[in-house]
Amino acid sequence: MSVLRGDFDLEAIGAVCISGDDGGADVLGAVEELVDSSLLGHSENPAGGFRWLATVREFAADALDDAGEVGVVERRHAMHFAQRATRRSAGRGASHPADADAVRRDAENHAAALDRVLALGDDDLVVRLAAGLSLDWYVVGPTMAATDRLRATIATTSDHSPERAAALRELGLSLPWSARTDEAHAVADELQDIARRRHAADIEADALWVRAAIAWVEGDVAAHTDLLERGLSLLRAIDHPTLTVFLFDLASVAIRRGEFERSTQLIQELDREGRIRHDDLAAARVSLLRSDPAFWSGDVRAAIGPATQALASMRTAGLIGPQSDALRSVFDIAVALGDLDLAGRAVSDHDALVMP
């Protein structure tokens, strides 16, 4: 168990401690004995779990090293958390409160697993972890650290798997905001290549999404909108869950361009899709979008309620990365209202998200 970091659950303990030869081991009984002996503590995370006492973990790690079993157990650890990250990403469960708690609980183990597979040089595990963790990093932040880690991880591999495409998408979406547009274009090119090879409409939409992000940063709103519309059409045809993100981005742009009839249609579709998919993030974004028409039409006071409601919903759901959109809206509204205290808090909270 000494290979486990931070908070961890019973499933993780079983995965790293039990080999195929001793599958009948009493993991729960052993853990209860460690807790009763004050060698292992309970996690304070709402998702539950356990936490090492630092000195005990160090003692156990030395014993594992002396036994010559570190490599075998660390590989079990990496494989388990790669499988867990992939499973959660595939189910898009990280947009729900309980799973956001679990993402936070697993954060240190995911980082340790990634460091270990990079050291092992196992390209398959690296890509699976990067693809799974990209969503986790966005949900619980911090975004800048996630970008740098994702960039370093992808650089070690080269294949045409859906997992690599997912990791490339997250990297491509983050690069334009750090003035790395040339790298972002290269990512979009690679995504298009993977999409062609696999005949995958969702990956083709991801390539368009990355190019839309580049266009937005470069100030080409028309190109940004056209690229998102093309991606949305692809995703509607296959009923892919990512379409909710495209709907949100397109509605935001439509509002800022004064196209309120179009934005209303997009918001209604986003609301409907969010309810069908039980997507907490989509619901919070609907609230945020409903603050924008009032703001951009001049009724600033009517905008503050929906914006702060969206921010509160994201915080309650444990959605960290998406809060940056809500905080920017709150800042704009606060400045328009002359509420410098609220504007200052919004800036501080936003900086804490992206620059921990």
Side-chain angles (χ1 to χ4, degrees), residues 187-201:
V187 167
D189 290 342
E190 186 173 350
L191 281 169
Q192 284 190 308
D193 181 53
I194 296 174
R196 283 194 294 269
R197 289 171 182 267
R198 303 189 66 88
H199 305 286

Side-chain angles (χ1 to χ4, degrees), residues 78-94 103 106 110 113 125 127-136:
M79 290 182 69
H80 169 71
F81 282 98
Q83 291 167 356
R84 178 176 286 197
T86 302
R87 184 173 67 232
R88 184 157 52 221
S89 180
R92 301 185 64 82
V103 170
D106 293 344
H110 279 148
L125 274 179
V127 171
R128 284 167 57 197
L129 261 171
L133 295 183
S134 58
L135 175 62
D136 290 357

Side-chain angles (χ1 to χ4, degrees), residues 157-178:
T157 64
S158 58
D159 62 30
H160 304 103
S161 66
E163 291 81 11
R164 179 174 174 80
L168 282 167
R169 176 194 66 216
E170 300 305 323
L171 178 63
L173 291 172
S174 60
L175 287 171
W177 303 101
S178 51

Side-chain angles (χ1 to χ4, degrees), residues 6 27 59 64 72-73 104 172 177 179 186 200 216 245 304 320 334 339 341:
V27 177
F59 178 82
L64 185 66
V72 173
V73 180
R104 279 189 289 274
W177 303 101
W216 181 262
V245 183
I304 190 64
I320 307 302
D339 189 339
D341 181 56

Side-chain angles (χ1 to χ4, degrees), residues 1 4 26 63 72 110 174 190-191 203 212 257 353:
M1 287 173 58
L4 292 163
D26 182 11
V72 173
H110 279 148
S174 60
E190 186 173 350
L191 281 169
I203 299 177
R257 298 176 75 174
L353 288 179

Side-chain angles (χ1 to χ4, degrees), residues 1-295:
M1 287 173 58
S2 64
V3 299
L4 292 163
R5 297 288 188 270
D7 297 328
F8 45 88
D9 62 4
L10 200 63
E11 180 187 357
I13 295 171
V16 302
C17 293
I18 298 177
S19 69
D21 298 329
D22 51 12
D26 182 11
V27 177
L28 180 58
V31 170
E32 288 177 341
E33 185 176 343
L34 288 170
V35 172
D36 290 342
S37 303
S38 298
L39 296 174
L40 192 67
H42 286 286
S43 167
E44 295 181 359
N45 186 287
F50 305 92
R51 171 174 278 270
W52 273 111
L53 301 176
T55 52
V56 178
R57 193 197 69 77
E58 290 170 7
F59 178 82
D62 289 340
L64 185 66
D65 188 41
D66 291 341
E69 298 178 0
V70 174
V72 173
V73 180
E74 284 188 343
R75 184 168 183 82
R76 283 189 210 150
H77 174 276
M79 290 182 69
H80 169 71
F81 282 98
Q83 291 167 356
R84 178 176 286 197
T86 302
R87 184 173 67 232
R88 184 157 52 221
S89 180
R92 301 185 64 82
S95 60
H96 297 281
D99 290 304
D101 290 332
V103 170
R104 279 189 289 274
R105 181 195 59 209
D106 293 344
E108 289 186 51
N109 280 296
H110 279 148
L114 183 54
D115 290 340
R116 285 166 181 162
V117 296
L118 285 169
L120 288 169
D122 189 324
D123 287 356
D124 177 61
L125 274 179
V126 167
V127 171
R128 284 167 57 197
L129 261 171
L133 295 183
S134 58
L135 175 62
D136 290 357
W137 285 330
Y138 177 63
V139 170
V140 302
T143 55
M144 286 181 69
T147 299
D148 290 339
R149 169 158 281 191
L150 191 57
R151 186 168 173 252
T153 301
I154 293 173
T156 69
T157 64
S158 58
D159 62 30
H160 304 103
S161 66
E163 291 81 11
R164 179 174 174 80
L168 282 167
R169 176 194 66 216
E170 300 305 323
L171 178 63
L173 291 172
S174 60
L175 287 171
W177 303 101
S178 51
R180 298 171 179 172
T181 54
D182 288 344
E183 291 179 61
H185 277 297
V187 167
D189 290 342
E190 186 173 350
L191 281 169
Q192 284 190 308
D193 181 53
I194 296 174
R196 283 194 294 269
R197 289 171 182 267
R198 303 189 66 88
H199 305 286
D202 58 328
I203 299 177
E204 185 178 350
D206 287 342
L208 292 168
W209 191 4
V210 171
R211 295 199 192 282
I214 298 169
W216 181 262
V217 169
E218 293 177 342
D220 192 342
V221 179
H224 171 79
T225 302
D226 177 63
L227 289 160
L228 288 178
E229 290 282 10
R230 288 163 56 193
L232 180 60
S233 295
L234 290 170
L235 296 172
R236 278 176 176 150
I238 59 174
D239 193 29
H240 196 278
T242 307
L243 66 86
T244 60
V245 183
F246 281 62
L247 287 167
F248 171 72
D249 287 349
L250 282 167
S252 299
V253 175
I255 291 168
R256 283 158 177 73
R257 298 176 75 174
E259 299 169 355
F260 296 127
E261 183 176 347
R262 173 62 174 153
S263 68
T264 298
Q265 294 171 349
L266 292 164
I267 292 170
Q268 289 173 345
E269 186 177 354
L270 175 59
D271 189 26
R272 183 173 64 253
E273 291 291 338
R275 292 176 189 276
I276 291 171
R277 301 175 193 281
H278 306 289
D279 188 334
D280 294 330
L281 179 54
R285 282 174 161 169
V286 167
S287 295
L288 182 59
L289 288 167
R290 285 175 175 159
S291 73
D292 282 351
F295 177 77

